[in-house]
Amino acid sequence: FLGHKPLYLVGDPKQSIYRFRGADLYTYMQAKEDLGKNAQAHLLCNYRSTPALVEALNALFSQTPDLITLPKLKMTLPIPHIEAAKTEEGGGIIFCTSTDEKTLYSYIVHEIARLH
């Protein structure tokens, strides 16, 4: 050791979909176990999503507690209830079904202008 500098490991097991970028859920879980419970901190407040989205995800995860399985560890990943920090409602998700690029791009430009 070259002094006593903190080491921070940040991970979100629910984002293990990033395996294509080299994310490895088992490496994260091993590091978490190696560091021990006293070295862990959990962020239980979402500062980026709208309350409606956080509520919907909490409902999904509460209805499917075995959603993320870890076969190598013979366990499922516990997913805690998260609070939303934002109080204002943001925009929604918009699905466009148009195959006409002119219509699609016109809509996008109109939405950018409207939101600006």
Side-chain angles (χ1 to χ4, degrees), residues 45-110:
C45 188
N46 183 315
Y47 291 89
R48 298 188 319 175
S49 302
T50 63
L53 178 58
V54 173
E55 183 180 322
L57 290 170
N58 281 331
L60 170 67
F61 293 139
S62 70
Q63 295 296 315
T64 54
D66 298 335
L67 184 65
I68 302 175
T69 60
L70 305 171
K72 291 180 185 177
L73 300 177
K74 295 182 173 85
M75 64 177 280
T76 58
L77 190 68
I79 302 173
H81 180 86
I82 303 296
E83 297 296 325
K86 287 187 175 182
T87 56
E88 76 281 353
E89 287 294 325
I93 297 174
I94 299 171
F95 294 97
C96 296
T97 57
S98 175
T99 57
D100 175 35
E101 287 186 2
K102 185 176 179 182
T103 302
L104 180 61
Y105 294 145
S106 175
Y107 173 77
I108 292 170
V109 168
H110 174 73

Coordinates of all heavy atoms in Angstrom, one line a residue, residues 45-110:
C45 N -32.1 6.2 -3.9 CA -32.9 7.3 -4.4 C -32.5 7.6 -5.8 O -31.3 7.7 -6.1 CB -32.7 8.5 -3.5 SG -33.8 9.9 -4.0
N46 N -33.4 7.6 -6.8 CA -33.1 7.8 -8.2 C -33.3 9.3 -8.4 O -34.4 9.9 -8.2 CB -34.1 7.0 -9.0 CG -33.9 7.1 -10.5 OD1 -33.7 8.2 -11.0 ND2 -33.9 6.0 -11.2
Y47 N -32.2 9.9 -8.9 CA -32.2 11.3 -9.2 C -32.5 11.7 -10.7 O -32.5 12.8 -11.0 CB -30.9 12.0 -8.7 CG -30.8 12.0 -7.2 CD1 -30.2 10.9 -6.6 CD2 -31.3 13.0 -6.5 CE1 -30.1 10.9 -5.2 CE2 -31.1 13.0 -5.1 CZ -30.6 12.0 -4.5 OH -30.4 12.0 -3.1
R48 N -32.6 10.7 -11.5 CA -32.7 11.0 -13.0 C -34.0 10.6 -13.6 O -34.4 11.1 -14.6 CB -31.6 10.2 -13.7 CG -30.2 10.6 -13.3 CD -29.1 9.9 -14.1 NE -29.4 8.6 -14.5 CZ -28.6 7.9 -15.3 NH1 -27.6 8.4 -15.9 NH2 -28.9 6.6 -15.6
S49 N -34.8 9.8 -13.0 CA -36.1 9.3 -13.6 C -37.3 10.0 -12.9 O -37.2 10.4 -11.8 CB -36.2 7.8 -13.4 OG -35.1 7.2 -14.0
T50 N -38.3 10.1 -13.7 CA -39.6 10.6 -13.1 C -40.2 9.7 -12.1 O -39.9 8.5 -12.1 CB -40.6 10.9 -14.2 OG1 -41.0 9.6 -14.8 CG2 -40.1 11.8 -15.3
P51 N -40.9 10.2 -11.2 CA -41.6 9.4 -10.1 C -42.4 8.3 -10.8 O -42.5 7.2 -10.2 CB -42.4 10.4 -9.3 CG -41.7 11.7 -9.5 CD -41.2 11.7 -10.9
A52 N -43.1 8.6 -11.9 CA -44.0 7.6 -12.5 C -43.1 6.4 -13.0 O -43.5 5.2 -12.8 CB -44.8 8.2 -13.6
L53 N -42.0 6.6 -13.6 CA -41.1 5.6 -14.1 C -40.6 4.7 -12.9 O -40.6 3.5 -12.9 CB -40.0 6.1 -14.9 CG -39.0 5.1 -15.4 CD1 -39.7 4.0 -16.3 CD2 -37.9 5.7 -16.2
V54 N -40.1 5.4 -11.9 CA -39.6 4.7 -10.7 C -40.7 3.8 -10.1 O -40.4 2.7 -9.7 CB -39.0 5.7 -9.7 CG1 -38.6 5.0 -8.4 CG2 -37.8 6.4 -10.2
E55 N -41.9 4.4 -10.0 CA -43.0 3.6 -9.4 C -43.3 2.4 -10.3 O -43.5 1.3 -9.7 CB -44.2 4.5 -9.3 CG -45.4 3.8 -8.7 CD -46.6 4.8 -8.7 OE1 -46.5 6.0 -8.4 OE2 -47.8 4.3 -8.9
A56 N -43.3 2.5 -11.6 CA -43.5 1.4 -12.5 C -42.4 0.3 -12.3 O -42.7 -0.9 -12.3 CB -43.6 1.9 -13.9
L57 N -41.2 0.8 -12.2 CA -40.1 -0.2 -12.1 C -40.2 -0.9 -10.7 O -40.0 -2.1 -10.6 CB -38.8 0.5 -12.3 CG -38.5 0.9 -13.7 CD1 -37.2 1.7 -13.8 CD2 -38.3 -0.3 -14.6
N58 N -40.5 -0.2 -9.7 CA -40.7 -0.8 -8.4 C -41.8 -1.8 -8.4 O -41.7 -2.9 -7.9 CB -41.0 0.2 -7.3 CG -39.8 1.0 -6.8 OD1 -38.7 0.4 -6.8 ND2 -40.0 2.2 -6.4
A59 N -42.9 -1.5 -9.1 CA -44.0 -2.5 -9.3 C -43.6 -3.7 -10.0 O -43.9 -4.8 -9.6 CB -45.2 -1.8 -10.0
L60 N -42.8 -3.5 -11.1 CA -42.3 -4.7 -11.9 C -41.4 -5.6 -11.0 O -41.6 -6.8 -11.0 CB -41.5 -4.2 -13.1 CG -40.8 -5.2 -13.9 CD1 -41.7 -6.2 -14.6 CD2 -39.8 -4.6 -14.9
F61 N -40.5 -4.9 -10.4 CA -39.5 -5.7 -9.6 C -40.2 -6.4 -8.4 O -39.7 -7.4 -8.0 CB -38.3 -4.9 -9.2 CG -37.4 -4.4 -10.3 CD1 -36.9 -3.2 -10.4 CD2 -37.1 -5.3 -11.4 CE1 -36.1 -2.8 -11.5 CE2 -36.4 -4.9 -12.4 CZ -35.8 -3.7 -12.5
S62 N -41.2 -5.8 -7.8 CA -41.9 -6.4 -6.7 C -42.7 -7.6 -7.1 O -42.9 -8.5 -6.4 CB -42.7 -5.4 -5.9 OG -43.9 -5.0 -6.7
Q63 N -43.2 -7.5 -8.4 CA -44.0 -8.6 -8.9 C -43.2 -9.8 -9.4 O -43.7 -10.9 -9.6 CB -44.9 -8.1 -10.0 CG -46.0 -7.1 -9.5 CD -47.0 -7.8 -8.5 OE1 -47.4 -8.9 -8.8 NE2 -47.2 -7.1 -7.5
T64 N -41.9 -9.5 -9.7 CA -41.0 -10.5 -10.3 C -39.7 -10.6 -9.5 O -38.6 -10.2 -10.0 CB -40.7 -10.2 -11.8 OG1 -40.2 -8.9 -11.8 CG2 -41.9 -10.4 -12.6
P65 N -39.8 -11.0 -8.2 CA -38.6 -11.0 -7.4 C -37.4 -11.9 -7.9 O -36.3 -11.6 -7.5 CB -39.1 -11.5 -6.0 CG -40.3 -12.2 -6.3 CD -40.9 -11.6 -7.5
D66 N -37.7 -12.8 -8.7 CA -36.7 -13.7 -9.2 C -36.3 -13.3 -10.7 O -35.9 -14.2 -11.4 CB -37.2 -15.2 -9.2 CG -37.5 -15.7 -7.8 OD1 -36.9 -15.1 -6.9 OD2 -38.3 -16.6 -7.7
L67 N -36.5 -12.0 -11.0 CA -36.2 -11.6 -12.3 C -34.8 -11.8 -12.8 O -34.5 -12.2 -13.9 CB -36.6 -10.1 -12.5 CG -36.5 -9.5 -13.9 CD1 -37.5 -10.1 -14.8 CD2 -36.7 -8.0 -13.8
I68 N -33.8 -11.5 -11.9 CA -32.4 -11.6 -12.2 C -31.8 -12.8 -11.5 O -31.6 -12.7 -10.3 CB -31.6 -10.3 -11.9 CG1 -32.2 -9.1 -12.6 CG2 -30.2 -10.5 -12.2 CD1 -31.6 -7.8 -12.3
T69 N -31.6 -13.8 -12.2 CA -31.1 -15.1 -11.6 C -29.6 -15.1 -11.8 O -29.1 -14.7 -12.8 CB -31.8 -16.3 -12.2 OG1 -31.5 -16.4 -13.6 CG2 -33.2 -16.3 -11.9
L70 N -28.9 -15.7 -10.9 CA -27.4 -15.9 -10.9 C -27.2 -17.4 -10.8 O -26.9 -17.9 -9.7 CB -26.8 -15.1 -9.8 CG -27.1 -13.6 -9.7 CD1 -26.5 -13.0 -8.5 CD2 -26.5 -12.9 -11.0
P71 N -27.2 -18.1 -11.9 CA -27.1 -19.6 -11.9 C -25.8 -20.1 -11.2 O -25.8 -21.1 -10.5 CB -27.2 -20.0 -13.3 CG -27.7 -18.9 -14.1 CD -27.4 -17.6 -13.3
K72 N -24.7 -19.4 -11.5 CA -23.4 -19.8 -10.9 C -23.4 -19.7 -9.4 O -22.7 -20.5 -8.7 CB -22.3 -19.0 -11.5 CG -22.0 -19.3 -13.0 CD -20.9 -18.4 -13.4 CE -20.6 -18.6 -14.9 NZ -19.6 -17.7 -15.4
L73 N -24.2 -18.8 -8.8 CA -24.2 -18.6 -7.4 C -25.5 -19.3 -6.8 O -25.7 -19.2 -5.6 CB -24.2 -17.1 -7.0 CG -23.0 -16.3 -7.5 CD1 -23.2 -14.9 -7.1 CD2 -21.7 -16.9 -6.9
K74 N -26.3 -19.8 -7.6 CA -27.6 -20.5 -7.2 C -28.4 -19.6 -6.3 O -28.8 -19.9 -5.3 CB -27.3 -21.8 -6.5 CG -26.6 -22.9 -7.4 CD -26.4 -24.1 -6.6 CE -25.9 -25.2 -7.5 NZ -24.5 -25.3 -7.8
M75 N -28.6 -18.4 -6.9 CA -29.4 -17.4 -6.1 C -30.1 -16.4 -7.1 O -29.7 -16.4 -8.3 CB -28.6 -16.6 -5.1 CG -27.5 -15.8 -5.8 SD -26.5 -14.8 -4.6 CE -27.6 -13.4 -4.3
T76 N -31.0 -15.6 -6.6 CA -31.5 -14.5 -7.4 C -31.1 -13.2 -6.7 O -30.8 -13.2 -5.5 CB -33.1 -14.6 -7.4 OG1 -33.6 -14.5 -6.1 CG2 -33.6 -15.8 -8.1
L77 N -31.0 -12.2 -7.6 CA -30.5 -10.9 -7.1 C -31.6 -10.2 -6.4 O -32.7 -9.9 -7.0 CB -30.0 -10.1 -8.3 CG -29.2 -8.9 -7.9 CD1 -27.9 -9.2 -7.3 CD2 -29.0 -8.1 -9.2
P78 N -31.5 -9.8 -5.1 CA -32.5 -9.0 -4.5 C -32.5 -7.6 -5.1 O -31.4 -7.0 -5.3 CB -32.1 -8.9 -3.0 CG -30.6 -9.2 -3.0 CD -30.3 -10.1 -4.3
I79 N -33.7 -7.0 -5.4 CA -33.8 -5.7 -6.0 C -34.6 -4.8 -5.0 O -35.7 -5.0 -4.8 CB -34.5 -5.8 -7.3 CG1 -33.7 -6.7 -8.3 CG2 -34.6 -4.4 -7.9 CD1 -34.5 -7.0 -9.6
P80 N -33.9 -3.8 -4.4 CA -34.5 -3.0 -3.4 C -35.5 -2.0 -4.0 O -35.4 -1.7 -5.1 CB -33.3 -2.3 -2.7 CG -32.3 -2.2 -3.8 CD -32.5 -3.5 -4.6
H81 N -36.4 -1.6 -3.1 CA -37.4 -0.5 -3.5 C -36.6 0.8 -3.6 O -35.8 1.1 -2.7 CB -38.5 -0.5 -2.4 CG -39.5 0.6 -2.7 ND1 -40.6 0.4 -3.5 CD2 -39.6 1.9 -2.3 CE1 -41.3 1.5 -3.6 NE2 -40.7 2.4 -2.9
I82 N -36.8 1.5 -4.6 CA -36.1 2.8 -4.9 C -37.1 4.0 -4.7 O -38.3 3.9 -5.2 CB -35.5 2.8 -6.3 CG1 -34.5 1.6 -6.5 CG2 -34.8 4.1 -6.6 CD1 -33.3 1.6 -5.6
E83 N -36.7 5.1 -4.2 CA -37.5 6.3 -4.1 C -37.1 7.2 -5.3 O -35.9 7.1 -5.8 CB -37.2 7.0 -2.8 CG -37.6 6.2 -1.6 CD -39.1 6.0 -1.5 OE1 -39.9 6.8 -2.0 OE2 -39.5 4.9 -1.1
A84 N -38.0 8.1 -5.7 CA -37.7 9.0 -6.7 C -37.4 10.4 -6.1 O -38.2 10.9 -5.2 CB -38.9 9.1 -7.7
A85 N -36.4 11.1 -6.5 CA -36.0 12.4 -6.0 C -36.8 13.5 -6.7 O -37.1 14.5 -6.1 CB -34.5 12.6 -6.1
K86 N -37.0 13.3 -8.0 CA -37.7 14.4 -8.7 C -39.2 14.5 -8.3 O -39.8 13.5 -8.1 CB -37.7 14.0 -10.2 CG -36.3 14.2 -10.8 CD -36.4 14.1 -12.3 CE -35.1 14.4 -13.0 NZ -35.1 14.3 -14.4
T87 N -39.7 15.7 -8.3 CA -41.1 15.9 -7.9 C -41.8 16.3 -9.2 O -43.0 16.1 -9.2 CB -41.2 16.9 -6.8 OG1 -40.6 18.1 -7.3 CG2 -40.6 16.5 -5.5
E88 N -41.2 16.8 -10.2 CA -41.9 17.3 -11.4 C -41.9 16.1 -12.4 O -41.1 15.2 -12.4 CB -41.2 18.4 -12.1 CG -39.9 18.1 -12.8 CD -38.7 17.9 -12.0 OE1 -38.7 18.2 -10.8 OE2 -37.6 17.5 -12.5
E89 N -43.0 16.1 -13.1 CA -43.2 15.0 -14.1 C -42.4 15.5 -15.4 O -42.6 16.6 -15.8 CB -44.6 14.8 -14.4 CG -45.3 14.0 -13.3 CD -44.8 12.6 -13.1 OE1 -44.5 11.9 -14.1 OE2 -44.8 12.2 -12.0
G90 N -41.7 14.6 -15.9 CA -41.0 14.9 -17.2 C -41.8 14.4 -18.4 O -43.0 14.1 -18.3
G91 N -41.1 14.3 -19.5 CA -41.8 13.8 -20.7 C -42.0 12.3 -20.6 O -41.6 11.6 -19.6
G92 N -42.6 11.8 -21.5 CA -42.9 10.4 -21.6 C -42.1 9.7 -22.7 O -41.4 10.3 -23.4
I93 N -42.3 8.4 -22.8 CA -41.7 7.7 -23.9 C -42.7 7.7 -25.0 O -43.9 7.5 -24.9 CB -41.5 6.2 -23.4 CG1 -40.5 6.2 -22.3 CG2 -41.0 5.4 -24.6 CD1 -40.3 4.8 -21.7
I94 N -42.1 8.0 -26.2 CA -43.0 8.1 -27.4 C -42.5 7.1 -28.4 O -41.3 7.0 -28.7 CB -42.9 9.5 -28.0 CG1 -43.4 10.6 -27.0 CG2 -43.6 9.6 -29.3 CD1 -43.1 12.0 -27.4
F95 N -43.4 6.3 -28.8 CA -43.1 5.3 -29.9 C -43.7 5.7 -31.2 O -44.9 6.0 -31.3 CB -43.7 3.9 -29.5 CG -43.1 3.3 -28.3 CD1 -43.7 3.5 -27.0 CD2 -41.9 2.6 -28.3 CE1 -43.1 2.9 -25.9 CE2 -41.3 2.1 -27.2 CZ -41.9 2.2 -26.0
C96 N -42.8 5.8 -32.2 CA -43.3 6.3 -33.5 C -43.3 5.0 -34.4 O -42.4 4.3 -34.5 CB -42.3 7.3 -34.1 SG -42.2 8.8 -33.2
T97 N -44.4 4.9 -35.1 CA -44.6 3.7 -36.0 C -44.5 4.1 -37.5 O -44.6 3.2 -38.3 CB -45.9 3.0 -35.7 OG1 -47.0 4.0 -35.9 CG2 -46.0 2.5 -34.3
S98 N -44.2 5.3 -37.8 CA -44.1 5.7 -39.2 C -42.8 5.1 -39.8 O -41.8 5.1 -39.2 CB -44.0 7.3 -39.2 OG -43.8 7.7 -40.6
T99 N -43.0 4.7 -41.0 CA -41.8 4.2 -41.8 C -41.4 5.3 -42.8 O -40.4 5.1 -43.5 CB -42.2 2.9 -42.5 OG1 -43.3 3.1 -43.4 CG2 -42.4 1.8 -41.6
D100 N -42.1 6.4 -42.9 CA -41.8 7.5 -43.8 C -40.9 8.4 -43.1 O -41.2 9.1 -42.1 CB -43.1 8.2 -44.2 CG -42.9 9.5 -45.0 OD1 -41.9 9.4 -45.8 OD2 -43.6 10.4 -44.8
E101 N -39.6 8.5 -43.6 CA -38.6 9.3 -42.9 C -39.0 10.8 -42.9 O -38.7 11.5 -41.9 CB -37.3 9.1 -43.6 CG -36.6 7.8 -43.3 CD -35.2 7.7 -43.9 OE1 -34.7 8.7 -44.5 OE2 -34.6 6.7 -43.7
K102 N -39.6 11.3 -43.9 CA -40.0 12.7 -43.9 C -40.9 13.0 -42.8 O -40.8 14.0 -42.1 CB -40.6 13.1 -45.3 CG -40.9 14.6 -45.4 CD -41.4 14.9 -46.8 CE -41.7 16.4 -46.8 NZ -42.3 16.8 -48.1
T103 N -41.9 12.2 -42.6 CA -42.9 12.4 -41.5 C -42.2 12.2 -40.1 O -42.4 13.0 -39.2 CB -44.0 11.3 -41.6 OG1 -44.6 11.5 -42.9 CG2 -45.0 11.5 -40.5
L104 N -41.4 11.2 -40.0 CA -40.7 11.0 -38.8 C -39.8 12.2 -38.4 O -39.8 12.7 -37.3 CB -39.8 9.7 -38.8 CG -39.1 9.3 -37.6 CD1 -40.0 9.1 -36.4 CD2 -38.2 8.1 -37.9
Y105 N -38.9 12.6 -39.3 CA -38.0 13.7 -39.1 C -38.8 15.0 -38.8 O -38.4 15.8 -38.0 CB -37.0 13.9 -40.2 CG -36.0 12.7 -40.3 CD1 -35.6 12.3 -41.5 CD2 -35.6 12.1 -39.2 CE1 -34.7 11.3 -41.6 CE2 -34.7 11.0 -39.3 CZ -34.3 10.6 -40.5 OH -33.4 9.5 -40.6
S106 N -39.9 15.2 -39.5 CA -40.7 16.4 -39.3 C -41.2 16.4 -37.9 O -41.2 17.4 -37.2 CB -41.8 16.4 -40.3 OG -42.7 17.5 -40.0
Y107 N -41.7 15.2 -37.4 CA -42.2 15.1 -36.0 C -41.1 15.4 -35.0 O -41.3 16.1 -34.0 CB -42.8 13.7 -35.8 CG -43.2 13.5 -34.4 CD1 -44.4 14.1 -33.9 CD2 -42.4 12.8 -33.5 CE1 -44.7 13.9 -32.6 CE2 -42.7 12.6 -32.2 CZ -43.9 13.1 -31.7 OH -44.3 13.0 -30.4
I108 N -39.9 14.9 -35.2 CA -38.8 15.1 -34.3 C -38.4 16.5 -34.2 O -38.3 17.1 -33.1 CB -37.6 14.2 -34.7 CG1 -37.9 12.7 -34.5 CG2 -36.4 14.6 -33.9 CD1 -36.9 11.8 -35.1
V109 N -38.3 17.2 -35.4 CA -38.0 18.7 -35.4 C -39.1 19.5 -34.7 O -38.8 20.4 -33.9 CB -37.8 19.1 -36.8 CG1 -37.8 20.7 -36.9 CG2 -36.6 18.6 -37.5
H110 N -40.4 19.1 -34.9 CA -41.5 19.8 -34.2 C -41.4 19.6 -32.7 O -41.6 20.6 -31.9 CB -42.8 19.3 -34.7 CG -44.0 19.8 -34.0 ND1 -44.4 21.1 -34.1 CD2 -44.8 19.2 -33.1 CE1 -45.5 21.3 -33.3 NE2 -45.7 20.2 -32.7

